[in-house]
Amino acid sequence: MNWLYHDHRKFESLVYQCRTASDAGDWEIVKGLVEQLLVAYESHVAIEEQILFPAYEAHPGAPAEPTEALKSDHVQIFRLFRHVAKQLEDDIPASVADDLAMLFRTLARHHEKEEQIFLPMASEALYADKDAILADLETRFGASSA
Ligand SMILES: [Fe+2]
Ligand SMILES: [Fe+2]
């Protein structure tokens, strides 16, 4: 699951760069970074919601709450992303700096939950299905660095 940790650090670093660029008023840089982030985050979440979470949920007795909570975080994170993107598009970046700070905190908390709660809890189920998960990842996303 190295790709998951790697993606998380990359997203946190990109949001941090957005925040720095917004403090400097470099709105074109912020726009470019936000676009890049949104595309990368959509693909990360697709892997989680289409492969990882279902692999865990399919195991008998696996409680639904952990993945429900993570999916609801995703909805909130995309809402924040879209809110920032809309302000940039409309050239009214008044609260973008605050929104980026909120996005950073929300992302960091979400990543912590995935790394420190979900993965340890799901590791047995995911490990049992490791080959199927890797094959699915490769077929659907071309990702092979699990
Ligand atoms: Fe996630
Ligand atoms: Fe994630």
Side-chain angles (χ1 to χ4, degrees):
M1 295 295 161
N2 290 338
W3 62 269
L4 189 119
Y5 295 91
H6 175 261
D7 274 9
H8 289 171
R9 300 294 84 75
K10 184 179 74 185
F11 297 139
E12 288 161 13
S13 156
L14 281 169
V15 174
Y16 188 81
Q17 287 174 49
C18 282
R19 178 65 208 264
T20 308
S22 80
D23 284 345
D26 290 334
W27 301 114
E28 287 310 311
I29 292 178
V30 180
K31 273 184 201 174
L33 286 170
V34 167
E35 275 167 29
Q36 189 187 330
L37 254 165
L38 198 47
V39 171
Y41 208 71
E42 273 166 357
S43 128
H44 178 90
V45 166
I47 293 177
E48 291 178 346
E49 293 197 357
Q50 292 171 32
I51 296 181
L52 274 194
F53 296 175
Y56 160 78
E57 287 159 353
H59 272 256
E65 290 82 7
T67 45
E68 294 291 316
L70 294 172
K71 285 182 222 170
S72 120
D73 283 354
H74 291 160
V75 171
Q76 190 196 354
I77 289 164
F78 281 122
R79 198 179 295 139
L80 278 167
F81 263 127
R82 278 191 219 99
H83 181 62
V84 168
K86 178 84 174 89
Q87 289 180 77
L88 293 167
E89 198 182 297
D90 295 346
D91 278 325
I92 41 164
S95 72
V96 165
D98 287 344
D99 294 331
L100 286 169
M102 162 85 90
L103 183 58
F104 185 85
R105 287 195 299 274
T106 310
L107 270 181
R109 257 200 319 266
H110 175 72
H111 295 160
E112 199 178 293
K113 272 193 242 172
E114 285 182 341
E115 293 171 18
Q116 292 175 21
I117 300 172
F118 174 71
L119 280 182
M121 192 178 60
S123 64
E124 212 176 301
L126 297 177
Y127 191 76
D129 289 340
K130 189 170 181 273
D131 294 340
I133 294 171
L134 288 178
D136 210 0
L137 275 171
E138 181 63 39
T139 309
R140 296 162 74 172
F141 298 99
S144 57
S145 55

